[in-house]
């Protein structure tokens, strides 16, 4: 059994795992393996033969290596041991003592010495160290540079050297020139390497033994043909476009020489190699030329270089932005190199398409789009409702990726459990800190997978709720953003994802407002989000110029694209019914907020006047949740006017060009680059499927008859009991109540609906119109209706045409408004509209725990969905609040008292006498007897707009 590593001693705050976490975050994957060890063997004297202890071993996988720990009694110790072993391999010292830098320097000299030793060079085991490939290629040169290696490759391809350099001087992290000077100095002292003065070559001082030379150079070439690879040239002048270049690497050549040549270097030793950019395991790097180094070299070199480069304009902003290192002059972005994984030279094309995808992938919205492979259609949603409705990468993954790309520390989440389920909104209550994902505790992925699930189940313990805080720190641990949203959730994961999403949305807003000064942003802070302008601008200096400078003013103009298109759309909608060309029969199955829908689509680039129509992006099945902003606003607006099996066609202006370039295949790039002036995008959409919103499914699955039907029955009973002839439905939506009332006999003669959603009113008009104009069958229950009207207007605003009706209904509406608006509606309704009877229904928050507990035994739902049956705090993410019985009673009785009404509380679904009461709570207000004065004094006000009017002729 292994010893617990000394570094875990109490005084040290840095455990090996925490150091690994800082560096790799969730890319570090720990797998625990159980090892049974018989006690009998180890303690032969004891008479407990059958018993065996369970021991654990841990395998840690990092992008560049994998280690397996010794065995331990505790999983934790095995993990720490694995982390410790990995750190040793990487050359990272987790201790922080003062002699560290001197020690690191000695180690650096020793490491370089080792790399030129026979021991290292004769190491023929697989996987091979990447540097061996460089030695081999350099020795194959037939020129006088035979065996010479550029200094820059040592830090780029040996993690240990790279890390030692960082320990010696943390500034090397940003400044590759500093690494090269350190390496040259250390090589000069190493005893086994020689260096050139004035150039940046390093070579083996002593002659290679013939065995080693033989072993290094005799390996047969994998192919006799050379290879062509595509790479990208990024000019330092931001006005000049990036362009694709082809590199030829001959079969016995050294790829670094080919790149140097492309950069126009006569001396390959001057080449500098960046860290890898892009994915963790990528070999994509930037190559550029070293500047003339001033002598003597010192540690303020980076400031000097930077200042000089900025003044002479040779600082390469785009390249620097990608690597988070200072890059000067023209750069080449290529994906080629020797790796641990392949014996031969690894290579991949980097095309303009790759470049633009990388560029937009650095914006939160862009990386979401990429994760959905729908660059021109999807958008980073505004809300995370449920895990099962979310498509694409999760917010926490996107945020982690964002931090890695922008060279920040991994995000730190702190989840708090709130004990009282009901008053979760009150900040004052006792809350217990549940889980801080400080590096030690960060979600460990165990191989058995079972423990993760168990946590999930625990984390939705009934009645509790969770809140989550996120911190974004720089690599130097300066706080950049801190976000502590007030909202609480029933599931830990929902709290975490929503917090991550909040940060992402804010970052996205910032990155789209490129011309905005950082200080100004602080005024735009949303609640709970704080950012630290000084630290923030330090980390994001290049971001605005790269994203804006890239296509100059185009991008800035286009950031307003979506909103201006929407404006245009709204204005055209007011005049003509709709700007979407919708075709196909209305199937009656349509999406509403919270529905999960599936579409197929094609987006094409069309050039006006010509016959050019190039498909840019398409999908046979694309799913999203309506109402969360998961697609561009035009698509959302379009699908909400469609029903299943209909198709639609509409045009938009062009989005930021980066997005078009990223979406277009590489073959299209040339056409696109020629001119986008007279072009627009055409969206063609087909609505394949609609899955109802969770709230609706729940109401149907758990209640018989469905809750919505019970509300209609409740209302109709009161209509008939009171012999009402006039009815106004406040917040009528798509007219479900009015429509159902036409199917049953009632005393009604006039019915009116009001809503603020034109879309819903359109549907209501359609449904009512067809039902009322059906040839007057004398047996039809709707025959009594003489007139029906639909108004567009807010129910918190009075319109005198709706005053004094017999009955008013307001079913499941108030929870969709802010609480103060709900209070306002109550006052306006009872003081101005003054119906004889007003029926108001809204969900009972206390009942949610029952809904939560019950399985939705819908056949098409998997077990995950069952777990998720009530993932958000409220039944529907569009709800602004849900009241307990006490809150509802108070609202209703205060209101009734103020306006001389009586009130009675009841409900549907469940029972008043059984905890926790009705599923839907209902208040019936009845107007008191003295009412003459008020209605006489009323002014005539008509703020509502008539949308549809029907009269029996
Ligand atoms: N009463 C309907 C619809 C409920 S959904 C039914 O039971 O099916 C809530 C509706 O309230 C939505 O259609 C929404 O547009 C509407 N609404 C929200 N705030 C409103 C306001 N201030 N004025 C009018 N309607 C409103
Ligand atoms: Mg509702």
């Amino acid at each position: 059994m292994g010893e617990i590593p000394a570094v875990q001693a109490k005084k040290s705050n840095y455990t090996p795992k925490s150091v690994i976490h800082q560096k790799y975050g969730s890319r570090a994957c720990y797998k625990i393996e159980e090892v049974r060890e018989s006690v009998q063997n180890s303690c032969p004297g004891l008479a407990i033969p059958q018993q065996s202890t369970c021991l654990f071993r841990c395998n840690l996988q990092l992008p560049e290596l994998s280690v397996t720990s010794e065995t331990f009694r505790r999983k934790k110790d095995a993990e720490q041991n694995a982390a410790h072993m990995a750190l040793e391999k990487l050359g990272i010292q987790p201790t922080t003592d003062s002699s560290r830098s001197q020690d690191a320097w000695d180690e650096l000299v020793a490491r370089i010495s080792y790399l030129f030793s026979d021991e290292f060079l004769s190491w023929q085991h697989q996987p091979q160290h990447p540097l061996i490939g460089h030695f081999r290629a350099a020795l194959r040169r037939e020129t006088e540079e035979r065996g010479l290696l550029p200094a820059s490759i040592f830090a780029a391809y040996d993690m240990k050297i790279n890390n030692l350099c960082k320990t010696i001087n943390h500034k090397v992290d940003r400044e590759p020139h500093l690494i090269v000077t350190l390496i040259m100095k250390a090589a000069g002292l190493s005893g086994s390497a020689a260096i050139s003065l004035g150039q940046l070559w390093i070579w083996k001082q002593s002659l290679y033994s013939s065995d080693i030379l033989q072993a290094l150079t005799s390996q047969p070439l994998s192919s006799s043909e050379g290879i062509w690879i595509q790479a990208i040239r990024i000019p330092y002048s931001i006005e000049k476009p990036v362009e694709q270049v082809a590199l030829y690497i001959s079969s016995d050549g050294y790829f670094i020489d080919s790149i140097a040549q492309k950069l126009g270097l006569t001396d390959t030793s001057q080449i500098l190699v960046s860290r890898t950019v892009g994915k963790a395991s990528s070999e994509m790097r930037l190559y550029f030329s070293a500047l003339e180094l001033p002598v003597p070299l010192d540690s303020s070199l980076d400031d000097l270089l930077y200042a000089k480069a900025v003044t002479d304009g040779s600082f390469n902003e785009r390249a620097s932005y990608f690597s988070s290192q200072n890059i000067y002059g023209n750069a080449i972005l290529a994906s080629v190199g020797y790796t641990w994984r392949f014996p031969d030279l690894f290579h991949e094309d980097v095309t303009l398409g790759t470049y633009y995808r990388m560029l937009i992938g650095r914006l939160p919205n862009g990386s979401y789009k990429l994760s959905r492979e729908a660059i021109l259609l999807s958008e980073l949603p505004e809300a995370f409702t449920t895990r099962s409705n979310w498509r694409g990468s999760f917010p926490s993954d996107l945020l982690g990726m964002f931090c890695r790309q922008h060279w920040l520390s991994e995000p730190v989440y702190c989840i708090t459990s709130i004990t009282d389920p009901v008053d979760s909104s009150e900040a004052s209550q006792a809350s217990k800190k549940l889980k801080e994902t400080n590096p030690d505790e960060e979600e460990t992925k165990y191989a058995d997978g079972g423990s993760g699930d168990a946590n999930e189940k625990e984390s939705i313990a009934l009645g509790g709720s969770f809140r989550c805080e996120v911190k974004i720190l720089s690599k130097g641990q300066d706080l950049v953003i801190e976000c502590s949203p007030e909202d609480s959730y029933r599931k830990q994961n929902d709290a975490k994802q929503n917090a991550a999403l909040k940060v992402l949305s804010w970052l996205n807003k910032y990155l789209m407002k490129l011309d905005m000064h950082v200080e100004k942003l602080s005024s735009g802070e949303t609640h709970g989000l704080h950012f630290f302008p000084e630290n923030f601008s330090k980390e994001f200096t290049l971001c605005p110029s790269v994203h804006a400078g890239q296509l100059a003013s185009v991008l800035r103009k286009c950031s307003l694209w979506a909103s201006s298109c929407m404006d245009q759309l709204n204005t055209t909608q007011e005049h003509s019914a709709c700007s979407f060309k919708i075709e196909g029969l209305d199937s009656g199955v349509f999406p509403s907020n919270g529905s999960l829908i599936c579409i197929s689509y094609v987006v094409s680039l069309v050039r006006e006047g010509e016959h050019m129509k190039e498909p840019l992006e398409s999908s046979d099945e694309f799913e999203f949740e309506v109402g969360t902003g998961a697609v561009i606003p035009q698509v959302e607006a379009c699908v909400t006017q469609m029903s299943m099996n209909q198709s639609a066609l509409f045009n938009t202006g062009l989005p930021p060009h980066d997005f078009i370039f990223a979406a277009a295949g590489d073959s299209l790039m040339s056409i696109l680059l020629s001119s986008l002036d007279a072009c627009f995008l055409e969206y063609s959409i087909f609505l394949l499927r609609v899955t109802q919103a969770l709230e609706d499914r729940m109401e149907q699955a758990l209640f018989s008859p469905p809750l919505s039907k019970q509300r209609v029955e409740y209302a109709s009973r009161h209509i008939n009991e009171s012999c009402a002839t006039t009815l106004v439905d406040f917040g009528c939506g798509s007219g479900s109540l009015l429509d159902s009332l036409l199917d049953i006999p009632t005393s009604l003669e006039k019915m009116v609906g009001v809503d603020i959603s034109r879309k819903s009113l359109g549907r209501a008009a359609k449904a009512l119109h067809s039902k009322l104009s059906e040839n007057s069958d004398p047996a039809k229950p709707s025959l009594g209706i003489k007139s029906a009207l639909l108004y567009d207007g807010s129910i918190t605003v009075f319109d005198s045409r709706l005053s004094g009706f017999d009955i008013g209904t307001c079913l499941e509406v108030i929870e969709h408004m802010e609480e103060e608006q709900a209070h306002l509606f109550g006052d306006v309704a009872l003081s101005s509209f003054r119906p004889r009877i007003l029926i108001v229904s809204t969900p009972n928050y206390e009942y949610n725990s029952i809904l939560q507990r019950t399985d939705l035994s819908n056949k098409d739902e998997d077990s995950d969905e069952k777990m998720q049956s009530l993932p958000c705090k409220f039944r529907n993410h569009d709800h602004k609040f849900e009241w307990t019985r006490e809150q509802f009673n108070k609202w209703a009785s205060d209101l009734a008292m103020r306006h001389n009404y009586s009130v009675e509380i009841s409900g549907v679904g469940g029972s008043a006498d059984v905890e926790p009461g009705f599923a839907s709570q209902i208040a019936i207000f009845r107007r008191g007897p003295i009412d003459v004065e008020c209605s006489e004094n009323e002014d005539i006000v008509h703020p509502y707009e008539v949308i549809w009017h029907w009269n029996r002729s």
Side-chain angles (χ1 to χ4, degrees):
M1 226 169 75
E3 291 293 305
I4 294 167
V7 282
Q8 238 194 303
K10 262 188 193 150
K11 56 183 176 185
S12 167
N13 287 327
Y14 296 92
T15 64
K17 259 190 92 178
S18 68
V19 178
I20 290 283
H21 177 78
Q22 267 315 315
K23 228 178 125 49
Y24 296 98
S26 55
R27 287 177 302 160
C29 181
Y30 294 85
K31 286 183 181 161
I32 294 283
E33 187 182 309
E34 253 181 56
V35 191
R36 298 232 164 237
E37 191 174 277
S38 165
V39 176
Q40 204 180 9
N41 288 344
S42 51
C43 317
L46 285 175
I48 344 166
Q50 258 76 24
Q51 207 157 353
S52 65
T53 38
C54 187
L55 294 177
F56 299 100
R57 196 171 22 221
C58 174
N59 171 260
L60 168 59
Q61 281 181 1
L62 299 176
E64 56 276 86
L65 55 86
S66 127
V67 291
T68 303
S69 74
E70 295 170 56
T71 55
F72 293 88
R73 260 190 233 290
R74 298 193 311 172
K75 288 181 185 172
K76 259 192 176 173
D77 295 337
E79 285 174 1
Q80 292 292 357
N81 181 242
H84 178 74
M85 288 168 75
L87 290 177
E88 288 228 304
K89 279 206 171 182
L90 293 166
I92 301 171
Q93 295 162 316
T95 48
T96 46
D97 57 62
S98 54
S99 63
R100 211 172 143 195
S101 159
Q102 182 56 43
D103 288 351
W105 175 251
D106 294 343
E107 265 200 68
L108 178 65
V109 175
R111 179 70 182 173
I112 291 184
S113 182
Y114 168 73
L115 292 176
F116 284 89
S117 69
D118 290 354
E119 191 192 340
F120 176 74
L121 293 170
S122 60
W123 185 51
Q124 291 296 306
H125 309 293
Q126 297 293 340
Q128 288 197 334
H129 192 291
L131 281 175
I132 296 284
H134 289 261
F135 274 97
R136 188 179 280 150
L139 282 168
R140 245 186 238 131
R141 280 199 197 104
E142 304 272 300
T143 59
E144 56 190 42
E145 279 96 31
R146 183 160 190 256
L148 303 188
L149 294 155
S152 184
I153 64 166
F154 289 91
Y157 294 98
D158 187 66
M159 285 304 289
K160 187 155 183 171
I161 289 199
N162 188 25
N163 287 319
L164 289 168
C165 289
K166 276 191 223 167
T167 312
I168 296 163
N169 179 359
H170 68 94
K171 287 181 175 174
V172 304
D173 203 31
R174 292 256 170 206
E175 186 46 74
H177 284 87
L178 277 180
I179 304 196
V180 180
T181 58
L182 278 179
I183 287 170
M184 287 297 280
K185 213 157 129 194
L189 294 171
S190 70
S192 65
I195 55 169
S196 56
L197 286 174
Q199 287 179 302
L200 296 170
W201 290 122
I202 305 182
W203 67 91
K204 183 169 161 62
Q205 188 151 48
S206 57
L207 288 177
Y208 286 84
S209 76
S210 57
D211 288 359
I212 291 172
L213 203 56
Q214 171 79 9
L216 284 175
T217 54
S218 68
Q219 201 194 32
L221 299 167
S222 53
S223 77
S224 52
E225 305 267 303
I227 46 165
W228 281 100
I229 59 170
Q230 298 295 320
I232 290 293
R233 188 171 168 278
I234 306 177
Y236 61 86
S237 159
I238 209 151
E239 272 81 50
K240 291 198 182 138
V242 294
E243 54 189 17
Q244 206 152 309
V245 292
L247 293 174
Y248 180 73
I249 299 158
S250 70
S251 57
D252 56 352
Y254 183 18
F255 77 93
I256 296 272
D257 289 338
S258 312
I259 298 176
Q261 223 170 40
K262 243 320 164 281
L263 280 168
L265 293 179
T266 46
D267 172 7
T268 297
S269 82
Q270 293 301 113
I271 203 166
L272 294 187
V273 184
S274 80
R275 59 169 63 106
T276 58
V277 298
K279 287 188 304 246
S281 58
S282 111
E283 259 310 300
M284 207 186 296
R285 294 173 191 270
L286 287 148
Y287 299 85
F288 57 106
S289 161
L291 300 173
E292 297 264 308
L293 299 175
V295 182
L297 305 165
D298 66 32
S299 59
S300 59
L301 175 72
D302 60 326
D303 302 328
L304 269 175
L305 281 176
Y306 182 73
K308 179 173 173 292
V310 168
T311 40
D312 72 15
S314 68
F315 183 66
N316 192 323
E317 292 185 324
R318 287 175 290 194
S320 304
Y321 177 61
F322 278 118
S323 62
S324 299
Q325 286 176 310
N326 291 346
I327 289 180
Y328 311 99
N330 298 329
I332 284 190
L333 178 70
S335 181
V336 55
Y338 301 105
T339 65
W340 289 94
R341 294 177 300 266
F342 302 100
D344 297 326
L345 185 69
F346 167 85
H347 58 89
E348 239 176 7
D349 286 341
V350 180
T351 61
L352 277 174
T354 323
Y355 174 83
Y356 283 106
R357 278 188 289 276
M358 275 175 60
L359 191 66
I360 71 157
R362 296 177 68 93
L363 304 167
N365 190 13
S367 68
Y368 178 77
K369 285 164 170 283
L370 288 172
S371 80
R372 299 229 53 192
E373 292 176 69
I375 292 162
L376 299 175
L377 188 95
S378 66
E379 288 279 294
L380 180 69
E382 291 138 21
F384 180 92
T385 61
T386 71
R387 184 205 285 264
S388 50
N389 281 5
W390 184 269
R391 297 291 180 275
S393 296
F394 282 107
S396 61
D397 295 333
L398 292 170
L399 190 58
M401 193 152 71
F402 180 87
C403 290
R404 253 165 267 145
Q405 282 172 337
H406 292 269
W407 211 244
L408 298 161
S409 287
E410 288 291 318
V412 179
Y413 296 93
C414 172
I415 298 173
T416 317
S417 152
I418 299 152
T419 43
D420 183 353
V422 174
D423 285 3
S424 55
S425 53
E426 275 170 39
S428 60
Q429 77 220 339
S431 65
K432 133 175 163 256
K433 195 172 259 189
L434 195 100
K435 181 177 162 198
E436 178 139 19
T437 59
N438 74 33
D440 276 345
E441 313 289 323
E442 173 61 295
E443 311 128 289
T444 305
K445 289 173 188 132
Y446 292 110
D448 57 280
S451 49
D453 281 359
N455 282 340
E456 277 289 295
K457 270 168 205 151
E458 242 167 64
S459 68
I460 50 163
L462 271 175
S465 62
F466 300 98
R467 205 173 277 170
C468 180
E469 216 179 271
V470 202
K471 285 193 189 115
I472 307 291
L473 303 140
S474 71
K475 280 266 189 254
Q477 303 304 303
D478 295 323
L479 200 51
V480 178
I481 297 173
E482 190 173 30
C483 178
S484 28
E486 285 285 293
D487 317 300
S488 60
Y489 299 86
R490 290 181 160 257
K491 291 193 69 201
Q492 275 191 36
N493 185 53
D494 292 337
K496 179 179 173 180
Q497 299 303 343
N498 275 291
L501 185 54
K502 198 157 186 180
V503 176
L504 286 170
S505 308
W506 185 84
L507 283 166
N508 208 42
K509 215 167 70 193
Y510 163 72
L511 295 168
M512 290 311 274
K513 285 189 185 156
L514 299 165
D515 46 355
M516 194 177 218
H517 205 258
V518 167
E519 273 80 49
K520 270 203 194 146
L521 274 171
S522 44
S523 56
E525 277 184 31
T526 35
H527 321 294
L529 193 140
H530 294 282
F531 85 110
F532 299 82
E534 220 169 274
N535 300 337
F536 190 86
S537 33
K538 217 169 26 189
E539 299 299 321
F540 288 92
T541 37
L542 294 177
C543 203
S545 65
V546 170
H547 284 283
Q550 180 63 35
L551 295 143
S553 59
V554 175
L555 179 64
R556 221 167 306 172
K557 261 188 262 160
C558 287
S559 67
L560 300 168
W561 168 69
S563 54
S564 69
C565 286
M566 268 325 272
D567 290 347
Q568 184 197 342
L569 211 140
N570 287 339
T571 46
T572 50
Q573 249 177 319
E574 269 168 35
H575 302 299
S576 63
C578 125
S579 61
F580 306 114
K581 215 167 99 202
I582 296 175
E583 283 176 349
L585 284 176
D586 186 349
S587 60
V589 180
F590 52 81
S592 56
N593 274 0
S595 311
L596 197 62
I597 70 168
C598 184
I599 60 171
S600 65
Y601 74 91
V602 183
V603 185
S604 312
L605 183 75
V606 182
R607 183 169 291 150
E608 234 152 345
E610 291 170 41
H611 294 290
M612 190 198 84
K613 181 162 159 182
E614 288 288 344
L616 294 179
E617 183 179 288
S618 66
S619 165
D620 292 337
E621 291 215 338
F622 181 91
E623 280 189 313
F624 66 98
E625 185 178 357
V626 177
T628 57
V631 290
I632 59 165
Q634 296 90 328
V635 172
E636 177 120 13
C638 177
V639 295
T640 48
Q641 296 183 25
M642 296 168 77
S643 68
M644 202 164 81
N645 294 330
Q646 282 187 323
S647 60
L649 202 67
F650 65 90
N651 299 332
T652 72
L654 294 187
H657 292 190
D658 312 30
F659 290 96
I660 296 183
F661 295 144
D666 289 309
S667 55
L668 275 178
M669 206 65 75
S670 54
I671 313 175
L672 298 186
L673 284 172
S674 61
S675 166
L676 287 171
D677 283 351
C679 291
F680 58 88
L681 294 184
E682 179 193 271
Y683 283 74
S684 160
I685 291 174
F686 184 79
L687 183 51
L688 290 161
R689 280 198 300 277
V690 178
T691 313
Q692 277 175 306
L694 193 62
E695 187 185 19
D696 300 339
R697 270 183 290 162
M698 207 173 61
E699 291 200 349
Q700 280 172 21
L702 302 178
F703 299 95
S704 168
L707 221 47
S708 53
K709 188 136 188 258
Q710 293 191 39
R711 281 190 290 264
V712 173
E713 281 168 5
Y714 186 93
S716 64
R717 206 170 60 238
H718 285 272
I719 291 165
N720 289 340
E721 274 171 15
S722 64
C723 302
T725 58
T726 54
L727 171 129
V728 49
D729 188 21
F730 294 110
C732 62
S734 309
S736 63
L737 173 69
L738 301 178
D739 189 21
S740 311
L741 289 174
L742 294 180
D743 294 333
I744 50 175
T746 63
S747 51
L748 293 178
E749 290 171 8
K750 175 178 185 172
M751 55 165 60
V752 175
V754 194
D755 206 288
I756 38 166
S757 162
R758 284 245 174 178
K759 197 168 74 199
S760 304
L761 288 167
R763 293 193 191 290
K766 229 187 216 172
L768 298 182
H769 196 87
S770 70
K771 202 160 271 180
L772 285 165
S773 1
E774 274 167 19
N775 261 340
S776 11
D777 173 356
K780 273 253 139 193
S782 63
L783 201 61
I785 297 290
K786 298 202 174 82
S787 81
L789 269 141
L790 291 172
Y791 290 106
D792 179 0
S794 172
I795 58 172
T796 53
V797 174
F798 176 62
D799 187 296
S800 54
R801 287 170 288 187
L802 300 184
S803 164
F805 274 48
D806 290 335
I807 197 158
T809 48
C810 181
L811 306 184
E812 306 293 292
V813 174
I814 56 170
E815 72 276 6
H816 292 263
M817 331 200 247
E818 297 299 335
E819 265 185 278
E820 72 218 46
Q821 293 290 303
H823 284 281
L824 178 59
F825 164 69
D827 283 323
V828 173
L830 299 195
S831 70
S832 305
F833 289 118
R834 291 193 72 79
R836 201 145 52 77
I837 296 175
L838 176 69
I839 300 178
V840 180
S841 88
T842 191
N844 169 12
Y845 180 73
E846 293 161 275
Y847 201 87
N848 289 1
S849 62
I850 305 257
L851 300 174
Q852 167 101 56
R853 222 175 297 163
T854 322
D855 259 7
L856 263 190
S857 47
N858 238 340
K859 5 154 188 33
D860 60 343
E861 291 184 349
D862 56 6
S863 57
D864 179 51
E865 177 75 4
K866 280 176 193 164
M867 280 299 299
Q868 300 285 329
S869 60
L870 237 192
C872 54
K873 198 168 101 180
F874 299 138
R875 297 182 193 181
N876 177 324
H877 76 269
D878 195 43
H879 288 180
K880 305 293 185 299
F881 63 85
E882 277 175 12
W883 281 336
T884 60
R885 282 169 291 179
E886 193 191 330
Q887 287 171 308
F888 185 62
N889 286 359
K890 184 164 179 355
W891 171 79
S893 46
D894 287 356
L895 186 63
M897 201 146 69
R898 273 203 301 280
H899 301 290
N900 189 26
Y901 273 68
S902 70
V903 66
E904 179 193 323
I905 303 285
S906 70
V908 293
S911 144
D913 313 321
V914 182
E915 280 301 308
F918 292 112
S920 227
Q921 41 191 353
I922 300 181
I924 316 154
F925 299 90
R926 289 191 176 84
R927 200 167 61 196
I930 13 154
D931 190 47
V932 203
E933 276 171 66
C934 328
S935 47
E936 272 179 1
N937 293 346
E938 253 152 31
D939 296 331
I940 293 175
V941 279
H942 292 174
Y944 293 178
E945 188 187 340
V946 179
I947 289 296
W948 170 80
H949 191 185
W950 181 88
N951 270 317
R952 191 174 296 280
S953 48

